[in-house]
């Protein structure tokens, strides 16, 4: 039995599937030396590349330093022919026409980076011309893919379709790029040397689901094999203001919604640590087993940041998994001015961080970051022999597919990586600071303005500005059920009129016992104060006669 | 409490979240009449559009008929200004500059289609010019998004990033397009009138996971609330040749790998129905509760099609959920010549079908299709009041986000829809028939060729051709452990040499007690017989001296 062997991973294991019998690495020591990871190959790279590429090398492998002042796009000259790596997305077989220079020899991570660099060069120097790699038909046409057909239509739409498959050989550049970027994100979180693990997943909800899965695997690994009946009644804790995906994960993964315990918040929407501790104690007294606490960094509605350090103290005391859902607020880690709002995030066991939200990366781009290396693999690996063969001619620890609940994955890393290269860390910082300044401007504009009531007092922590607009006809109404009923209908009506008149759109929702209110969120740094002014003018124009 | 109300859906419910209290639809009857679904609006559309648009209308709303002989791209003239719908991907707020014609009035599904049509027109008539909608900066620049910033970099990469969010208003065109396409796929499966439900998910593994989730919800809806402890010990059945994602779903969702029972297959890799029945009876005798059977239509390695009708008989007899994993083989439904291999698929409760595999749609594009309407919503809805407000000015049954385990979703429908429009159903049929002809050519070429052994006898059901290459030095070896050990290393060595020499690549794997063999799979209809000849020449060139 070759393919159905089950390998029992434990949480600290990061080794790939090892089989016995015939299955042995056929890498000689020499080969191994040649194909070890790109990250450990810097020295070799230095000697291989000339002086002129020094600048490239630094940024390519290190990114710009966190909070570096400048931004730069430093790229080398093209390595002729190697860029066709890019187009290599076969499923199980591909043929490169023999009239093209051979590029499959670029199998090692080192040469892979060189090929990639060349690709970027042609991309940046010829964004509209024949050299545009994506549309360079004369070359692409001579490569056959089993993955998709190369008629003009799919050629165009292949732009939409890069994928990271289960193995390094299928998407070498993206595998390396993902590893590099995740490491950088872990460094920014504050985990020593950026050690740990992670994946890009199809959205924050799935990232949060991963966090619950790996927490369960950490404490009750037998659930993977035997199911939830092998564990006691496990409970999860998350704020009543948190994203619904935590509860959804609880339902999907077999915990049950009832066992996702909602924590009370203060008037600003932040978890009250004492409430968490009381509910942990209460659960234990009932015979349940507390497993997991989610702290939200940037709630959906209020943009609130839970006090991570206080929550971490409690998690340590009771030995619970601490997850930080920074899908919305994680971007603030890029800002020296605002990252204190996530103080304590380095104590988390896992973090969700969606660059597609506050950092302006186009959807979808969400990372699940994990402090303990190997646990994702342990939790999710199935060691399917027909996909993950250990007897390959490269280091199969680059085959990351078995860490995921997906098989093939859409490439979400490329746009993020390129944006980071282009904007620099400091560019993201400016982006984020600018958005927060704008929301501060909005807050200051309306906090004392006639006809406005803030949903919570004080300056918002994130860019979420939550407010009611009170039409003139209601301004003298006494507080009470009638006023609440009328006010509840104001925001929906104004939003509908906005959409009808085609000028702007702003979301609303109720929250707890609060009737519908507007929630203005800014994540586009190209917005201006005049846009904010326009929004307020428009609300007043449309809502004046309600 | 507005946002934390939980609405209890049952399997047959398809209604959106209904809240009590202040939350009421503010749609008047008149408004409702105006905004009912596009599909029931054909007559209105007919009178609105002139004679010249007849051709467009037919294909736009009906697709080409299944197995229609011709293919056509029939599109109307552009509706000036309306195409900017396309660019509407705000998260919670967006502003359209007032110097642009208003397009937000196109909120109804009917006008949405008109806008969309115009977009396609400009796309197809000016793929490289200024009118190219994706790069039509002068217009796009004057629209502000909160979703992402419009610098040139993200503008370019926004091509990669369309998303279907949780609500119709955020991605109206794509929501409608997804509904239309899923309905067509259900019709092709054979469900009456294409009724049912479905979603595009991030890959076949997630689609399969959905099937297990909804099967559990169908029979044990209380698990959603109370967790797996509320159910007896549930078991799932799938073939030992099936994709590992079924077992992975079992592990993730709290069933446990042990409770995913692997079914024996015949020599061609097809489930033996008698083995299924015996294992169901055995499980029941042990006190377990059989829940779910997966029949694979096109296994990963052999390309085998399980006998769906025989399996459906057993599922009906024992009242089990029948899922058909047609991730790989589902595409054959488009071929009159080959769809008989999925005979009985219309009896399934759910079907996974990945257009990104056999149909050549770029990754990712996977559909989970469900026969019972409303069950996806019932299974996954969390009714988060801050996302799904029932008091909107359009029919909120178009807000499909709560059906998914994701929140926002990447738009996977567009490329598929456009390919279908361009190629026609008959185009997909030709694509598929062509690939199967090629694999038949390969099979016939090597089945009696010296140095080749087929892994299973007889013509493959799918394009998977599985074979060993026996180097001359081994051809006279007696069968036995030594020969097996040597043969096991042949395919890895040849593949490694292929990658080194940069000419072609073909996958290998072991299966059960069979040592490593090559698995040639063809899904690119642009491949030719000469490519096949080249592959065989290359295997023999590289493997001759092993």
């Amino acid at each position: 039995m070759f393919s159905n062997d089950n390998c029992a991973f434990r949480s600290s294991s990061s080794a790939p599937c090892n089989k016995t019998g015939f299955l042995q690495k056929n890498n000689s020591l020499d080969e191994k030396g040649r194909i070890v990871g790109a990250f450990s190959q810097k020295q070799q790279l230095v000697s291989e590349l000339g002086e002129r590429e020094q600048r490239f090398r630094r940024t390519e492998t290190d990114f710009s330093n966190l909070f570096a002042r400048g931004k730069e796009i430093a790229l080398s000259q093209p390595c002729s022919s190697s860029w066709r790596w890019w187009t290599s997305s076969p499923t199980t077989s591909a043929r490169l026409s023999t009239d093209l220079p051979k590029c499959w020899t670029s199998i090692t991570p080192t040469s892979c980076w060189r090929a990639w660099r060349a690709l970027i060069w042609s991309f940046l120097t010829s964004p509209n011309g024949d050299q545009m790699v994506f549309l360079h038909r004369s070359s692409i046409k001579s490569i056959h893919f089993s993955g998709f057909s190369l008629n003009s239509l799919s050629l165009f739409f292949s732009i939409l379709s890069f994928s990271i498959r289960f193995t390094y050989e299928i998407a070498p550049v993206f595998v390396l790029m993902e590893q590099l970027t995740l490491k950088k994100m872990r460094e920014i979180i504050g985990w020593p040397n950026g050690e740990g693990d992670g994946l890009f997943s199809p959205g924050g909800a799935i990232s949060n689901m991963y966090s619950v899965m790996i927490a369960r695997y950490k404490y009750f690994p037998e659930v993977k094999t035997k199911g939830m009946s092998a564990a006691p009644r496990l409970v999860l804790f998350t704020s009543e203001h948190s994203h619904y995906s935590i509860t959804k994960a609880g339902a999907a993964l077999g915990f049950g919604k009832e066992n996702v315990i909602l924590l009370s918040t203060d008037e600003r929407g932040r978890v009250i640590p004492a409430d968490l501790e009381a509910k942990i104690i209460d659960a234990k007294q009932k015979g349940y087993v507390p497993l997991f606490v989610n702290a939200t960094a940037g709630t959906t509605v209020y943009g609130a940041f839970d006090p991570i350090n206080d929550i971490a103290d409690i998690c340590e005391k009771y030995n619970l998994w601490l997850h930080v859902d920074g899908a919305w607020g994680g971007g603030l880690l890029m800002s020296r001015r605002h990252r204190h709002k996530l103080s304590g995030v380095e104590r988390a066991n896992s973090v969700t961080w969606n660059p597609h939200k506050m950092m302006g990366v186009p959807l979808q781009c969400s990372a699940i970051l994990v402090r303990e290396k190997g646990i994702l693999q342990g939790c999710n690996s199935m060691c399917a022999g027909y996909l993950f063969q250990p007897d390959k001619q490269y280091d199969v620890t680059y085959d990351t597919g078995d860490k995921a609940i997906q098989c093939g994955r859409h490439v979400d890393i490329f746009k993020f990586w390129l944006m980071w290269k282009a904007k620099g860390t400091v560019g993201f910082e400016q982006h984020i600071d600018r958005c927060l300044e704008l929301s501060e401007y909005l807050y200051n504009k309306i906090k004392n303005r006639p006809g406005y009531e803030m949903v919570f007092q004080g300056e918002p922590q994130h860019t979420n500005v939550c407010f009611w607009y009170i039409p003139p006809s209601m301004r003298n109404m006494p507080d009470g059920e009638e006023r609440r009923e009328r006010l509840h209908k104001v925001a929906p009506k104004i939003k509908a009129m906005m959409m009808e008149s085609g000028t702007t759109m702003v979301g609303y929702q109720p929250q707890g016992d609060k009737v519908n209110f507007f929630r203005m969120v800014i994540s586009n740094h190209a917005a201006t104060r005049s846009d904010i002014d326009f929004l307020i003018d428009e609300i007043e124009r449309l809502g004046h006669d309600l």
Side-chain angles (χ1 to χ4, degrees), chain A residues 392-459:
Chain A
K392 290 179 180 170
Q393 95 283 23
Y394 61 86
D395 181 353
V396 293
T397 58
Y398 286 104
D399 290 353
T400 57
D402 218 11
K403 292 201 288 192
I405 55 170
Q406 300 178 271
C407 189
R409 285 185 290 133
H410 190 272
V411 166
D412 300 323
I413 181 60
F414 176 45
K415 56 198 173 194
F416 180 31
W417 185 88
L418 196 59
M419 272 182 80
W420 204 334
K421 294 298 288 182
K423 291 172 75 109
T425 303
V426 72
F428 280 125
E429 180 183 39
Q430 287 165 350
H431 174 141
I432 284 155
D433 288 351
R434 170 82 184 142
C435 292
L436 280 143
E437 279 162 25
L438 269 178
S439 65
E440 197 181 322
Y441 173 77
L442 171 61
Y443 168 75
N444 287 326
K445 183 181 176 91
I446 62 174
K447 66 178 176 183
N448 297 317
R449 190 180 180 93
Y452 291 82
E453 279 179 30
M454 304 310 293
V455 173
F456 55 85
Q457 298 310 307
E459 197 173 303

Side-chain angles (χ1 to χ4, degrees), chain A residues 469-475 486 490 493-494 497 537-546:
Chain A
Y469 171 70
I470 320 287
S473 68
M474 288 181 60
R475 290 185 194 165
R486 275 190 63 183
V490 168
K493 280 182 188 161
I494 292 176
M497 285 188 285
D537 290 348
E538 199 64 2
I539 287 173
E540 293 174 359
R541 179 177 76 84
L542 297 168
H544 188 269
D545 297 328
L546 289 179

Side-chain angles (χ1 to χ4, degrees), chain A residues 64-105:
Chain A
S64 48
N65 291 325
L66 182 60
F67 308 135
R69 265 292 133 216
K71 71 171 189 175
E72 58 184 4
I73 307 174
L75 293 159
S76 77
Q77 295 299 315
C79 302
S80 64
S81 88
S82 306
W83 64 262
R84 270 166 294 100
W85 261 107
W86 178 245
T87 60
S88 302
S89 177
T91 49
T92 51
S93 49
R95 175 181 166 190
L96 308 180
S97 295
T98 46
D99 59 321
L100 289 170
K102 294 162 186 170
C103 70
W104 284 96
T105 49

Side-chain angles (χ1 to χ4, degrees), chain A residues 224-267:
Chain A
K224 178 179 177 179
T225 309
K226 297 182 180 301
M228 286 295 277
S229 60
R233 181 164 167 178
L234 304 173
V235 289
L236 319 173
F237 300 88
T238 191
S239 145
E240 60 190 16
H241 275 241
S242 68
H243 192 262
Y244 69 95
S245 55
I246 299 288
T247 310
K248 202 167 237 187
L253 302 177
F255 294 85
K257 275 169 64 176
E258 275 182 7
N259 297 312
V260 182
I261 296 177
L262 298 183
L263 303 173
S264 302
T265 59
D266 64 18
E267 73 293 347

Side-chain angles (χ1 to χ4, degrees), chain A residues 317-375:
Chain A
K317 182 173 172 186
Y318 293 95
N319 190 28
L320 308 184
W321 186 277
L322 173 58
H323 175 67
V324 172
D325 176 6
W328 172 223
L332 269 60
L333 288 167
M334 306 297 280
S335 162
R336 281 166 290 188
R337 200 180 306 161
H338 297 286
R339 68 169 283 141
H340 68 90
K341 294 169 185 171
L342 290 99
S343 188
V345 66
E346 72 283 358
R347 298 171 67 185
N349 299 94
S350 55
V351 176
T352 292
W353 175 354
N354 289 9
H356 75 215
K357 291 188 186 284
M358 197 59 196
M359 291 165 75
V361 177
L363 270 139
Q364 62 191 37
C365 188
S366 170
I368 172 69
L369 299 144
V370 188
R371 195 167 59 187
E372 182 174 322
K373 201 168 178 175
I375 195 168

Side-chain angles (χ1 to χ4, degrees), chain A residues 1 5 38 56 60 104 130 150 168 224 230 257 276 326 388 399 522:
Chain A
M1 298 290 284
D5 285 359
F56 158 72
E60 190 76 14
W104 284 96
D130 286 344
L150 286 177
Y168 168 79
K224 178 179 177 179
K257 275 169 64 176
L276 168 62
F388 307 106
D399 290 353
I522 299 161

